[in-house]
Amino acid sequence: MGFDDARRYLRQTVGRSLELVCITGGEPCLYFGLVADVVGEARAIGVPGIWLFTNAYWAVNRTAASRKLARLKEAGMTRLCLSADGFHQPFVPVARLRHAVAAARDLGLEIVLDVRFLGPPQEDNWTNQVTRRVLEELGDLGDAEIWQGQPLYIGRAADTLLPQVAQRSGLPKGSCPGPWAGGAWGNPAGVDVDLYGEVTLCPGISIGNAKGRSLSGILDEYDPQRHPTIRELVAGGPKRLARIAQRIGYTPRSGYASECHLCYDVRRFLRPRCSSELAPLTCYEEAVSPSGFPLMSRS
Ligand code: SF4
């Protein structure tokens, strides 16, 4: 996302008592200057909570960690959220997390460790073994919060992680957990805005594109009952969405890992028919680069 877009979206929220801005990626610190500028812009409009999710790859030593975080704190950042688990540590040494935690503590920043397991935490797969080892190596983190969760089996996770996850046969019967920022579909606690301007309530469920319209207008006009996908999720969860899709040719899989996996699989099928409400395409399709590494595509 370019700075001009980020600034415009932030300014369009003025007057809405925005409590929190959270900067995520990918890895946002690949664009460190941009992150600092967006943090500063969020503070300029008076947002009280400004969070950054990062894997701390940049904390190569204590001095570098302190320098980077001091700049972000000065710009207005209030909380550092660090990804720490078997998905990240094969690429980022645990020592860098330690440097980031120590520097953040010295600066008085709130610290959160965002830890994902693959399946139940006690399950003995390779990812969980690494995650447990990372937590042991980090040791006592004092008053840092630890958030434990699962990856959502949507997007690339559905294609790459599902072979390692137990799946139940039949359509999962449970309801939708709700918008990813919390709250309820009728009153979501937040929205995500991606680099294409898509304003989403769950990855791939768009309520408008802020590049073409004002973010404020999109929020004002949002009505779950007028959204073809959200309306059905509210009424009967992913299973209801699947039944609708079956009428137009969707063939259920033999099993699903979760309600979200079913929801994603059905939405991927429905997307060509609801292209504005189920954007962006990046959430549904992927291409493979010449190196064999999956890349998200957008056409
Ligand atoms: S069921 Fe669908 S809309 Fe609900 S949280 Fe899961 S992926 Fe999102």
Side-chain angles (χ1 to χ4, degrees), residues 20 22 50-56 58 69 77-85 97 100-102 104-105 108-116 135 138 141-149:
L20 169 67
C22 184
I50 305 174
W51 299 5
L52 170 69
F53 271 78
T54 174
N55 61 31
W58 40 267
L69 289 180
M77 187 176 86
T78 60
R79 176 175 285 200
L80 180 69
C81 306
L82 296 166
S83 302
D85 51 35
L97 290 170
V101 168
R105 187 173 287 140
L109 289 165
E110 298 168 349
I111 305 167
V112 168
L113 227 56
D114 185 44
V115 180
R116 304 293 164 120
L135 290 174
L138 284 171
L141 294 173
D143 54 4
E145 278 185 53
I146 298 185
W147 295 346
Q148 294 190 8

mmCIF file of all heavy atoms in Angstrom, residues 20 22 50-56 58 69 77-85 97 100-102 104-105 108-116 135 138 141-149:
data_model
loop_
_atom_site.group_PDB
_atom_site.id
_atom_site.type_symbol
_atom_site.label_atom_id
_atom_site.label_comp_id
_atom_site.label_asym_id
_atom_site.label_seq_id
_atom_site.Cartn_x
_atom_site.Cartn_y
_atom_site.Cartn_z
ATOM 1 N N LEU A 20 -8.056 1.964 17.127
ATOM 2 C CA LEU A 20 -6.857 1.167 16.879
ATOM 3 C C LEU A 20 -6.550 1.099 15.396
ATOM 4 O O LEU A 20 -7.451 0.895 14.576
ATOM 5 C CB LEU A 20 -7.128 -0.248 17.416
ATOM 6 C CG LEU A 20 -6.153 -1.350 17.078
ATOM 7 C CD1 LEU A 20 -4.817 -1.083 17.742
ATOM 8 C CD2 LEU A 20 -6.723 -2.684 17.539
ATOM 9 N N CYS A 22 -3.875 -1.145 13.076
ATOM 10 C CA CYS A 22 -2.945 -2.266 13.153
ATOM 11 C C CYS A 22 -2.303 -2.456 11.781
ATOM 12 O O CYS A 22 -3.011 -2.633 10.798
ATOM 13 C CB CYS A 22 -3.722 -3.509 13.581
ATOM 14 S SG CYS A 22 -2.681 -4.921 13.813
ATOM 15 N N ILE A 50 -1.780 2.067 18.305
ATOM 16 C CA ILE A 50 -1.149 1.862 16.996
ATOM 17 C C ILE A 50 -0.246 0.640 17.118
ATOM 18 O O ILE A 50 0.754 0.659 17.843
ATOM 19 C CB ILE A 50 -0.352 3.106 16.547
ATOM 20 C CG1 ILE A 50 -1.270 4.338 16.555
ATOM 21 C CG2 ILE A 50 0.239 2.880 15.160
ATOM 22 C CD1 ILE A 50 -0.565 5.653 16.273
ATOM 23 N N TRP A 51 -0.637 -0.437 16.431
ATOM 24 C CA TRP A 51 0.045 -1.718 16.574
ATOM 25 C C TRP A 51 0.773 -2.081 15.288
ATOM 26 O O TRP A 51 0.327 -1.721 14.192
ATOM 27 C CB TRP A 51 -0.955 -2.845 16.850
ATOM 28 C CG TRP A 51 -1.753 -2.717 18.096
ATOM 29 C CD1 TRP A 51 -1.773 -1.674 18.981
ATOM 30 C CD2 TRP A 51 -2.704 -3.669 18.585
ATOM 31 N NE1 TRP A 51 -2.657 -1.925 19.991
ATOM 32 C CE2 TRP A 51 -3.251 -3.142 19.772
ATOM 33 C CE3 TRP A 51 -3.143 -4.901 18.146
ATOM 34 C CZ2 TRP A 51 -4.211 -3.818 20.517
ATOM 35 C CZ3 TRP A 51 -4.103 -5.582 18.872
ATOM 36 C CH2 TRP A 51 -4.627 -5.046 20.053
ATOM 37 N N LEU A 52 1.845 -2.844 15.461
ATOM 38 C CA LEU A 52 2.596 -3.355 14.310
ATOM 39 C C LEU A 52 2.804 -4.854 14.483
ATOM 40 O O LEU A 52 3.278 -5.299 15.528
ATOM 41 C CB LEU A 52 3.956 -2.655 14.225
ATOM 42 C CG LEU A 52 4.944 -3.263 13.219
ATOM 43 C CD1 LEU A 52 4.478 -3.018 11.780
ATOM 44 C CD2 LEU A 52 6.345 -2.690 13.423
ATOM 45 N N PHE A 53 2.427 -5.627 13.462
ATOM 46 C CA PHE A 53 2.743 -7.060 13.431
ATOM 47 C C PHE A 53 3.992 -7.254 12.587
ATOM 48 O O PHE A 53 4.045 -6.806 11.439
ATOM 49 C CB PHE A 53 1.593 -7.862 12.804
ATOM 50 C CG PHE A 53 0.575 -8.303 13.799
ATOM 51 C CD1 PHE A 53 -0.381 -7.426 14.277
ATOM 52 C CD2 PHE A 53 0.560 -9.607 14.269
ATOM 53 C CE1 PHE A 53 -1.323 -7.830 15.212
ATOM 54 C CE2 PHE A 53 -0.378 -10.026 15.198
ATOM 55 C CZ PHE A 53 -1.324 -9.137 15.676
ATOM 56 N N THR A 54 4.985 -7.944 13.135
ATOM 57 C CA THR A 54 6.230 -8.152 12.409
ATOM 58 C C THR A 54 6.874 -9.453 12.867
ATOM 59 O O THR A 54 6.595 -9.943 13.968
ATOM 60 C CB THR A 54 7.200 -6.971 12.642
ATOM 61 O OG1 THR A 54 8.463 -7.266 12.039
ATOM 62 C CG2 THR A 54 7.413 -6.686 14.107
ATOM 63 N N ASN A 55 7.762 -9.994 12.021
ATOM 64 C CA ASN A 55 8.486 -11.202 12.435
ATOM 65 C C ASN A 55 9.847 -10.863 13.067
ATOM 66 O O ASN A 55 10.602 -11.757 13.413
ATOM 67 C CB ASN A 55 8.662 -12.173 11.258
ATOM 68 C CG ASN A 55 9.470 -11.578 10.119
ATOM 69 O OD1 ASN A 55 10.352 -10.750 10.322
ATOM 70 N ND2 ASN A 55 9.169 -12.013 8.894
ATOM 71 N N ALA A 56 10.172 -9.579 13.160
ATOM 72 C CA ALA A 56 11.413 -9.112 13.817
ATOM 73 C C ALA A 56 12.679 -9.511 13.071
ATOM 74 O O ALA A 56 13.755 -9.522 13.669
ATOM 75 C CB ALA A 56 11.489 -9.562 15.272
ATOM 76 N N TRP A 58 14.373 -7.803 11.308
ATOM 77 C CA TRP A 58 15.230 -6.618 11.292
ATOM 78 C C TRP A 58 16.015 -6.442 12.595
ATOM 79 O O TRP A 58 16.939 -5.627 12.650
ATOM 80 C CB TRP A 58 14.366 -5.370 11.061
ATOM 81 C CG TRP A 58 13.068 -5.442 11.826
ATOM 82 C CD1 TRP A 58 11.875 -5.926 11.362
ATOM 83 C CD2 TRP A 58 12.853 -5.105 13.199
ATOM 84 N NE1 TRP A 58 10.929 -5.912 12.357
ATOM 85 C CE2 TRP A 58 11.496 -5.408 13.495
ATOM 86 C CE3 TRP A 58 13.665 -4.578 14.194
ATOM 87 C CZ2 TRP A 58 10.944 -5.199 14.751
ATOM 88 C CZ3 TRP A 58 13.115 -4.373 15.460
ATOM 89 C CH2 TRP A 58 11.766 -4.687 15.718
ATOM 90 N N LEU A 69 12.942 0.421 16.842
ATOM 91 C CA LEU A 69 11.743 0.572 17.668
ATOM 92 C C LEU A 69 11.633 1.971 18.256
ATOM 93 O O LEU A 69 10.533 2.495 18.446
ATOM 94 C CB LEU A 69 11.729 -0.491 18.776
ATOM 95 C CG LEU A 69 11.470 -1.917 18.274
ATOM 96 C CD1 LEU A 69 11.483 -2.904 19.428
ATOM 97 C CD2 LEU A 69 10.140 -2.007 17.524
ATOM 98 N N MET A 77 3.883 4.527 17.710
ATOM 99 C CA MET A 77 3.495 3.126 17.905
ATOM 100 C C MET A 77 3.345 2.807 19.392
ATOM 101 O O MET A 77 4.143 3.267 20.210
ATOM 102 C CB MET A 77 4.544 2.200 17.295
ATOM 103 C CG MET A 77 4.121 0.749 17.307
ATOM 104 S SD MET A 77 5.318 -0.302 16.483
ATOM 105 C CE MET A 77 6.454 -0.621 17.810
ATOM 106 N N THR A 78 2.323 2.010 19.706
ATOM 107 C CA THR A 78 2.083 1.681 21.113
ATOM 108 C C THR A 78 2.312 0.207 21.425
ATOM 109 O O THR A 78 2.569 -0.154 22.564
ATOM 110 C CB THR A 78 0.641 2.036 21.528
ATOM 111 O OG1 THR A 78 -0.276 1.294 20.711
ATOM 112 C CG2 THR A 78 0.378 3.523 21.381
ATOM 113 N N ARG A 79 2.152 -0.665 20.428
ATOM 114 C CA ARG A 79 2.248 -2.109 20.707
ATOM 115 C C ARG A 79 3.002 -2.826 19.604
ATOM 116 O O ARG A 79 2.751 -2.597 18.419
ATOM 117 C CB ARG A 79 0.846 -2.703 20.836
ATOM 118 C CG ARG A 79 0.844 -4.194 21.039
ATOM 119 C CD ARG A 79 -0.538 -4.724 21.293
ATOM 120 N NE ARG A 79 -0.998 -4.424 22.637
ATOM 121 C CZ ARG A 79 -1.984 -5.079 23.251
ATOM 122 N NH1 ARG A 79 -2.609 -6.059 22.637
ATOM 123 N NH2 ARG A 79 -2.353 -4.747 24.468
ATOM 124 N N LEU A 80 3.911 -3.698 20.020
ATOM 125 C CA LEU A 80 4.683 -4.518 19.090
ATOM 126 C C LEU A 80 4.155 -5.950 19.164
ATOM 127 O O LEU A 80 4.183 -6.564 20.231
ATOM 128 C CB LEU A 80 6.161 -4.491 19.476
ATOM 129 C CG LEU A 80 7.085 -5.303 18.584
ATOM 130 C CD1 LEU A 80 7.202 -4.681 17.194
ATOM 131 C CD2 LEU A 80 8.465 -5.425 19.228
ATOM 132 N N CYS A 81 3.662 -6.462 18.055
ATOM 133 C CA CYS A 81 3.141 -7.832 17.992
ATOM 134 C C CYS A 81 4.106 -8.676 17.171
ATOM 135 O O CYS A 81 4.328 -8.383 15.987
ATOM 136 C CB CYS A 81 1.759 -7.853 17.344
ATOM 137 S SG CYS A 81 0.566 -6.742 18.118
ATOM 138 N N LEU A 82 4.688 -9.683 17.793
ATOM 139 C CA LEU A 82 5.736 -10.473 17.149
ATOM 140 C C LEU A 82 5.233 -11.863 16.785
ATOM 141 O O LEU A 82 4.690 -12.574 17.639
ATOM 142 C CB LEU A 82 6.929 -10.602 18.102
ATOM 143 C CG LEU A 82 7.637 -9.289 18.445
ATOM 144 C CD1 LEU A 82 8.561 -9.482 19.641
ATOM 145 C CD2 LEU A 82 8.421 -8.783 17.245
ATOM 146 N N SER A 83 5.412 -12.218 15.540
ATOM 147 C CA SER A 83 5.077 -13.580 15.110
ATOM 148 C C SER A 83 6.187 -14.509 15.568
ATOM 149 O O SER A 83 7.366 -14.254 15.305
ATOM 150 C CB SER A 83 4.955 -13.639 13.592
ATOM 151 O OG SER A 83 3.981 -12.731 13.141
ATOM 152 N N ALA A 84 5.817 -15.584 16.268
ATOM 153 C CA ALA A 84 6.831 -16.484 16.823
ATOM 154 C C ALA A 84 6.278 -17.896 16.804
ATOM 155 O O ALA A 84 5.442 -18.243 17.635
ATOM 156 C CB ALA A 84 7.169 -16.061 18.258
ATOM 157 N N ASP A 85 6.704 -18.692 15.850
ATOM 158 C CA ASP A 85 6.196 -20.064 15.781
ATOM 159 C C ASP A 85 6.902 -20.853 14.689
ATOM 160 O O ASP A 85 7.846 -20.370 14.048
ATOM 161 C CB ASP A 85 4.675 -20.062 15.541
ATOM 162 C CG ASP A 85 4.289 -19.186 14.362
ATOM 163 O OD1 ASP A 85 5.057 -19.127 13.396
ATOM 164 O OD2 ASP A 85 3.225 -18.544 14.421
ATOM 165 N N LEU A 97 14.014 -12.287 17.882
ATOM 166 C CA LEU A 97 12.831 -12.026 18.707
ATOM 167 C C LEU A 97 13.267 -11.509 20.074
ATOM 168 O O LEU A 97 12.671 -10.576 20.615
ATOM 169 C CB LEU A 97 12.008 -13.304 18.876
ATOM 170 C CG LEU A 97 11.262 -13.819 17.641
ATOM 171 C CD1 LEU A 97 10.705 -15.199 17.913
ATOM 172 C CD2 LEU A 97 10.134 -12.862 17.267
ATOM 173 N N ALA A 100 14.245 -7.937 19.891
ATOM 174 C CA ALA A 100 13.073 -7.062 19.728
ATOM 175 C C ALA A 100 12.306 -6.929 21.038
ATOM 176 O O ALA A 100 11.885 -5.830 21.427
ATOM 177 C CB ALA A 100 12.165 -7.605 18.621
ATOM 178 N N VAL A 101 12.150 -8.068 21.748
ATOM 179 C CA VAL A 101 11.423 -8.033 23.026
ATOM 180 C C VAL A 101 12.169 -7.145 24.022
ATOM 181 O O VAL A 101 11.571 -6.293 24.697
ATOM 182 C CB VAL A 101 11.241 -9.464 23.587
ATOM 183 C CG1 VAL A 101 10.766 -9.425 25.034
ATOM 184 C CG2 VAL A 101 10.248 -10.248 22.733
ATOM 185 N N ALA A 102 13.481 -7.330 24.102
ATOM 186 C CA ALA A 102 14.260 -6.557 25.085
ATOM 187 C C ALA A 102 14.199 -5.065 24.771
ATOM 188 O O ALA A 102 14.010 -4.226 25.668
ATOM 189 C CB ALA A 102 15.713 -7.052 25.091
ATOM 190 N N ALA A 104 11.897 -3.476 23.026
ATOM 191 C CA ALA A 104 10.522 -2.971 23.227
ATOM 192 C C ALA A 104 10.250 -2.747 24.708
ATOM 193 O O ALA A 104 9.611 -1.758 25.102
ATOM 194 C CB ALA A 104 9.519 -3.956 22.629
ATOM 195 N N ARG A 105 10.758 -3.658 25.526
ATOM 196 C CA ARG A 105 10.533 -3.513 26.978
ATOM 197 C C ARG A 105 11.226 -2.248 27.487
ATOM 198 O O ARG A 105 10.645 -1.482 28.245
ATOM 199 C CB ARG A 105 11.071 -4.762 27.680
ATOM 200 C CG ARG A 105 10.735 -4.790 29.144
ATOM 201 C CD ARG A 105 11.132 -6.089 29.781
ATOM 202 N NE ARG A 105 10.255 -7.174 29.396
ATOM 203 C CZ ARG A 105 10.663 -8.405 29.118
ATOM 204 N NH1 ARG A 105 11.931 -8.701 29.162
ATOM 205 N NH2 ARG A 105 9.794 -9.339 28.823
ATOM 206 N N GLY A 108 9.232 0.724 26.807
ATOM 207 C CA GLY A 108 7.899 0.801 27.415
ATOM 208 C C GLY A 108 6.775 0.502 26.430
ATOM 209 O O GLY A 108 5.632 0.900 26.653
ATOM 210 N N LEU A 109 7.093 -0.227 25.354
ATOM 211 C CA LEU A 109 6.044 -0.611 24.412
ATOM 212 C C LEU A 109 5.300 -1.840 24.936
ATOM 213 O O LEU A 109 5.893 -2.697 25.610
ATOM 214 C CB LEU A 109 6.652 -0.960 23.051
ATOM 215 C CG LEU A 109 7.215 0.193 22.235
ATOM 216 C CD1 LEU A 109 8.110 -0.325 21.109
ATOM 217 C CD2 LEU A 109 6.075 1.042 21.659
ATOM 218 N N GLU A 110 4.031 -1.960 24.630
ATOM 219 C CA GLU A 110 3.308 -3.206 24.903
ATOM 220 C C GLU A 110 3.854 -4.273 23.950
ATOM 221 O O GLU A 110 4.169 -3.969 22.791
ATOM 222 C CB GLU A 110 1.815 -3.023 24.659
ATOM 223 C CG GLU A 110 1.173 -1.998 25.563
ATOM 224 C CD GLU A 110 -0.235 -1.628 25.092
ATOM 225 O OE1 GLU A 110 -0.620 -1.994 23.970
ATOM 226 O OE2 GLU A 110 -0.923 -0.941 25.854
ATOM 227 N N ILE A 111 3.946 -5.504 24.460
ATOM 228 C CA ILE A 111 4.508 -6.587 23.636
ATOM 229 C C ILE A 111 3.515 -7.752 23.594
ATOM 230 O O ILE A 111 2.985 -8.154 24.624
ATOM 231 C CB ILE A 111 5.830 -7.099 24.227
ATOM 232 C CG1 ILE A 111 6.818 -5.941 24.418
ATOM 233 C CG2 ILE A 111 6.432 -8.180 23.329
ATOM 234 C CD1 ILE A 111 8.022 -6.304 25.281
ATOM 235 N N VAL A 112 3.306 -8.264 22.395
ATOM 236 C CA VAL A 112 2.466 -9.448 22.219
ATOM 237 C C VAL A 112 3.228 -10.451 21.376
ATOM 238 O O VAL A 112 3.880 -10.081 20.403
ATOM 239 C CB VAL A 112 1.140 -9.089 21.501
ATOM 240 C CG1 VAL A 112 0.413 -10.352 21.048
ATOM 241 C CG2 VAL A 112 0.245 -8.270 22.393
ATOM 242 N N LEU A 113 3.152 -11.707 21.776
ATOM 243 C CA LEU A 113 3.698 -12.779 20.950
ATOM 244 C C LEU A 113 2.514 -13.470 20.270
ATOM 245 O O LEU A 113 1.627 -13.986 20.945
ATOM 246 C CB LEU A 113 4.421 -13.776 21.857
ATOM 247 C CG LEU A 113 5.786 -14.233 21.426
ATOM 248 C CD1 LEU A 113 6.714 -13.058 21.208
ATOM 249 C CD2 LEU A 113 6.368 -15.197 22.434
ATOM 250 N N ASP A 114 2.492 -13.449 18.950
ATOM 251 C CA ASP A 114 1.407 -14.069 18.195
ATOM 252 C C ASP A 114 1.888 -15.445 17.730
ATOM 253 O O ASP A 114 2.756 -15.554 16.881
ATOM 254 C CB ASP A 114 1.051 -13.182 16.991
ATOM 255 C CG ASP A 114 -0.144 -13.721 16.239
ATOM 256 O OD1 ASP A 114 -1.121 -14.107 16.889
ATOM 257 O OD2 ASP A 114 -0.091 -13.757 14.989
ATOM 258 N N VAL A 115 1.332 -16.488 18.349
ATOM 259 C CA VAL A 115 1.847 -17.846 18.176
ATOM 260 C C VAL A 115 0.778 -18.718 17.515
ATOM 261 O O VAL A 115 -0.341 -18.812 18.013
ATOM 262 C CB VAL A 115 2.195 -18.445 19.564
ATOM 263 C CG1 VAL A 115 2.725 -19.851 19.416
ATOM 264 C CG2 VAL A 115 3.206 -17.556 20.289
ATOM 265 N N ARG A 116 1.123 -19.324 16.412
ATOM 266 C CA ARG A 116 0.154 -20.202 15.726
ATOM 267 C C ARG A 116 0.595 -21.656 15.796
ATOM 268 O O ARG A 116 1.755 -21.965 15.575
ATOM 269 C CB ARG A 116 0.027 -19.810 14.249
ATOM 270 C CG ARG A 116 -0.352 -18.366 14.017
ATOM 271 C CD ARG A 116 -1.757 -18.099 14.498
ATOM 272 N NE ARG A 116 -1.974 -16.666 14.622
ATOM 273 C CZ ARG A 116 -2.904 -16.014 13.943
ATOM 274 N NH1 ARG A 116 -3.704 -16.643 13.122
ATOM 275 N NH2 ARG A 116 -3.046 -14.719 14.116
ATOM 276 N N LEU A 135 9.058 -21.190 22.055
ATOM 277 C CA LEU A 135 8.553 -20.630 23.315
ATOM 278 C C LEU A 135 9.495 -20.964 24.474
ATOM 279 O O LEU A 135 9.752 -20.134 25.338
ATOM 280 C CB LEU A 135 7.136 -21.150 23.596
ATOM 281 C CG LEU A 135 6.058 -20.600 22.649
ATOM 282 C CD1 LEU A 135 4.709 -21.274 22.896
ATOM 283 C CD2 LEU A 135 5.917 -19.082 22.803
ATOM 284 N N LEU A 138 12.560 -18.768 24.236
ATOM 285 C CA LEU A 138 12.292 -17.373 24.616
ATOM 286 C C LEU A 138 12.198 -17.225 26.128
ATOM 287 O O LEU A 138 12.492 -16.163 26.677
ATOM 288 C CB LEU A 138 11.012 -16.884 23.949
ATOM 289 C CG LEU A 138 11.156 -16.542 22.458
ATOM 290 C CD1 LEU A 138 9.791 -16.287 21.834
ATOM 291 C CD2 LEU A 138 12.059 -15.328 22.268
ATOM 292 N N LEU A 141 8.847 -14.160 29.476
ATOM 293 C CA LEU A 141 8.736 -12.878 28.766
ATOM 294 C C LEU A 141 8.078 -11.806 29.617
ATOM 295 O O LEU A 141 7.576 -10.808 29.106
ATOM 296 C CB LEU A 141 7.964 -13.069 27.458
ATOM 297 C CG LEU A 141 8.689 -13.935 26.423
ATOM 298 C CD1 LEU A 141 7.794 -14.223 25.243
ATOM 299 C CD2 LEU A 141 9.966 -13.245 25.971
ATOM 300 N N GLY A 142 8.065 -12.023 30.903
ATOM 301 C CA GLY A 142 7.523 -11.005 31.809
ATOM 302 C C GLY A 142 6.075 -10.720 31.498
ATOM 303 O O GLY A 142 5.255 -11.631 31.400
ATOM 304 N N ASP A 143 5.755 -9.446 31.311
ATOM 305 C CA ASP A 143 4.343 -9.089 31.135
ATOM 306 C C ASP A 143 3.905 -9.105 29.666
ATOM 307 O O ASP A 143 2.838 -8.603 29.325
ATOM 308 C CB ASP A 143 4.047 -7.725 31.771
ATOM 309 C CG ASP A 143 4.998 -6.658 31.251
ATOM 310 O OD1 ASP A 143 5.817 -6.967 30.361
ATOM 311 O OD2 ASP A 143 4.909 -5.506 31.740
ATOM 312 N N ALA A 144 4.733 -9.691 28.791
ATOM 313 C CA ALA A 144 4.304 -9.792 27.389
ATOM 314 C C ALA A 144 3.088 -10.713 27.303
ATOM 315 O O ALA A 144 3.010 -11.733 27.979
ATOM 316 C CB ALA A 144 5.436 -10.346 26.532
ATOM 317 N N GLU A 145 2.125 -10.326 26.471
ATOM 318 C CA GLU A 145 0.952 -11.191 26.247
ATOM 319 C C GLU A 145 1.320 -12.252 25.233
ATOM 320 O O GLU A 145 2.094 -11.992 24.307
ATOM 321 C CB GLU A 145 -0.208 -10.385 25.677
ATOM 322 C CG GLU A 145 -1.022 -9.639 26.695
ATOM 323 C CD GLU A 145 -2.230 -8.980 26.031
ATOM 324 O OE1 GLU A 145 -2.994 -9.668 25.345
ATOM 325 O OE2 GLU A 145 -2.359 -7.751 26.198
ATOM 326 N N ILE A 146 0.746 -13.445 25.386
ATOM 327 C CA ILE A 146 0.949 -14.490 24.377
ATOM 328 C C ILE A 146 -0.411 -14.865 23.812
ATOM 329 O O ILE A 146 -1.306 -15.276 24.550
ATOM 330 C CB ILE A 146 1.650 -15.720 24.979
ATOM 331 C CG1 ILE A 146 3.040 -15.298 25.487
ATOM 332 C CG2 ILE A 146 1.793 -16.820 23.921
ATOM 333 C CD1 ILE A 146 3.899 -16.403 26.007
ATOM 334 N N TRP A 147 -0.570 -14.684 22.520
ATOM 335 C CA TRP A 147 -1.815 -15.061 21.846
ATOM 336 C C TRP A 147 -1.561 -16.365 21.105
ATOM 337 O O TRP A 147 -0.649 -16.442 20.277
ATOM 338 C CB TRP A 147 -2.245 -13.991 20.837
ATOM 339 C CG TRP A 147 -2.602 -12.678 21.443
ATOM 340 C CD1 TRP A 147 -2.841 -12.412 22.762
ATOM 341 C CD2 TRP A 147 -2.773 -11.442 20.750
ATOM 342 N NE1 TRP A 147 -3.155 -11.091 22.935
ATOM 343 C CE2 TRP A 147 -3.120 -10.473 21.711
ATOM 344 C CE3 TRP A 147 -2.673 -11.061 19.415
ATOM 345 C CZ2 TRP A 147 -3.353 -9.136 21.379
ATOM 346 C CZ3 TRP A 147 -2.912 -9.736 19.073
ATOM 347 C CH2 TRP A 147 -3.260 -8.792 20.044
ATOM 348 N N GLN A 148 -2.354 -17.369 21.399
ATOM 349 C CA GLN A 148 -2.198 -18.641 20.707
ATOM 350 C C GLN A 148 -3.383 -18.868 19.780
ATOM 351 O O GLN A 148 -4.518 -18.594 20.159
ATOM 352 C CB GLN A 148 -2.141 -19.797 21.710
ATOM 353 C CG GLN A 148 -0.913 -19.753 22.588
ATOM 354 C CD GLN A 148 -0.740 -21.015 23.407
ATOM 355 O OE1 GLN A 148 -1.447 -21.999 23.226
ATOM 356 N NE2 GLN A 148 0.210 -20.997 24.317
ATOM 357 N N GLY A 149 -3.134 -19.349 18.598
ATOM 358 C CA GLY A 149 -4.241 -19.591 17.679
ATOM 359 C C GLY A 149 -3.850 -20.534 16.568
ATOM 360 O O GLY A 149 -2.774 -21.131 16.583
#
